[in-house]
Amino acid sequence: MTIGLLALQGAFIEHEKVLQSLGVDYFEIRQLSDLSKKMDGLILPGGESTAMGKLLKDLELFSPLRKMIEDGLPVFGTCAGLILLAKTLENDSRIFFQTMDITVKRNAFGRQLASFMKLDFFGDKEIPMIFIRAPYIHSVGANVQVLSSFDGLILAAREKNMLVTAYHPELTKDTTVHQYFLEMIKNR
Ligand code: GLN
């Protein structure tokens, strides 16, 4: 199994370390020619969605990646990656892949200072969650499964081949969410 990791900006090295610890092969996606490599899954890391969206378009990665996601490539988006996949952004007019039926609020916990950690559930497992200027999911479509939430705010969800978290599992030692993603790929 090989994972393609979008490596234009943001926290992609941390995902690489998790994949290394799980013994999973990966490669970085930095330019169009990287998409000719065979990938079984795609990770969209945290970072700044506006910058990533612009780079994706400038480097002509945007349309081919969207097509691959629409065609069923398993994708895991953390934080900014979640924003890239959202169908609707509540407080921003920019649009990105728009493949996942979720309505998202960017920087929903405030701006720079609003970074925090908490323990909460992913499915039925309690895991540490790190939030960095995180979005939350305000509402989801009928086919979206909610995997984490607190106080009515949705923090992780899945729709078909798409998995998203508002928090950063790659910044903790807990590999539950990455393993869930690898299972999604195996069961595809
Ligand atoms: N605030 C960022 C954005 O809107 C996301 C933050 C993150 O990925 N940690 O893109």
Side-chain angles (χ1 to χ4, degrees):
M1 182 196 298
T2 306
I3 307 289
L5 195 55
L6 189 67
L8 303 178
Q9 191 268 339
F12 56 90
I13 305 264
E14 290 76 4
H15 280 287
E16 292 181 1
K17 288 186 179 147
V18 179
L19 294 174
Q20 283 165 15
S21 77
L22 295 171
V24 177
D25 290 334
Y26 62 86
F27 63 89
E28 294 181 352
I29 301 170
R30 293 176 178 272
Q31 54 192 350
L32 193 53
S33 59
D34 294 325
L35 296 186
S36 59
K37 298 172 195 159
K38 182 189 173 298
M39 71 173 132
D40 303 298
L42 168 68
I43 292 182
L44 304 174
E48 199 53 48
S49 52
T50 311
M52 254 188 269
K54 181 173 184 325
L55 287 167
L56 279 166
K57 285 176 186 156
D58 290 353
L59 295 163
E60 294 175 13
L61 288 164
F62 187 82
S63 301
L65 280 177
R66 181 168 58 190
K67 171 96 175 55
M68 291 164 113
I69 296 167
E70 281 169 351
D71 288 347
L73 177 71
V75 55
F76 174 23
T78 50
C79 204
L82 172 156
I83 293 168
L84 291 179
L85 292 169
K87 193 155 278 178
T88 312
L89 296 181
E90 212 176 67
N91 54 346
D92 203 312
S93 57
R94 272 164 284 229
I95 48 170
F96 302 109
F97 292 127
Q98 292 190 289
T99 46
M100 187 164 179
D101 196 4
I102 54 177
T103 299
V104 168
K105 187 168 178 189
R106 278 187 74 189
N107 297 319
F109 299 94
R111 286 193 173 269
Q112 300 294 349
L113 293 175
S115 300
F116 58 97
M117 182 171 162
K118 73 194 287 296
L119 267 180
D120 214 317
F121 286 94
F122 175 80
D124 57 8
K125 184 152 185 251
E126 199 167 50
I127 61 166
M129 300 177 180
I130 294 180
F131 295 82
I132 304 172
R133 291 178 298 120
Y136 65 68
I137 303 171
H138 202 236
S139 58
V140 300
N143 296 320
V144 179
Q145 182 190 1
V146 173
L147 293 165
S148 299
S149 63
F150 81 98
D151 279 353
L153 311 178
I154 300 167
L155 303 171
R158 172 178 179 181
E159 180 181 9
K160 294 178 288 188
N161 56 314
M162 294 168 281
L163 172 68
V164 291
T165 59
Y167 47 90
H168 289 267
E170 77 284 7
L171 298 182
T172 72
K173 294 250 179 304
D174 191 295
T175 56
T176 304
V177 183
H178 287 81
Q179 282 175 298
Y180 179 94
F181 180 54
L182 299 179
E183 283 303 310
M184 276 172 61
I185 297 174
K186 283 183 200 148
N187 297 329
R188 187 185 170 184

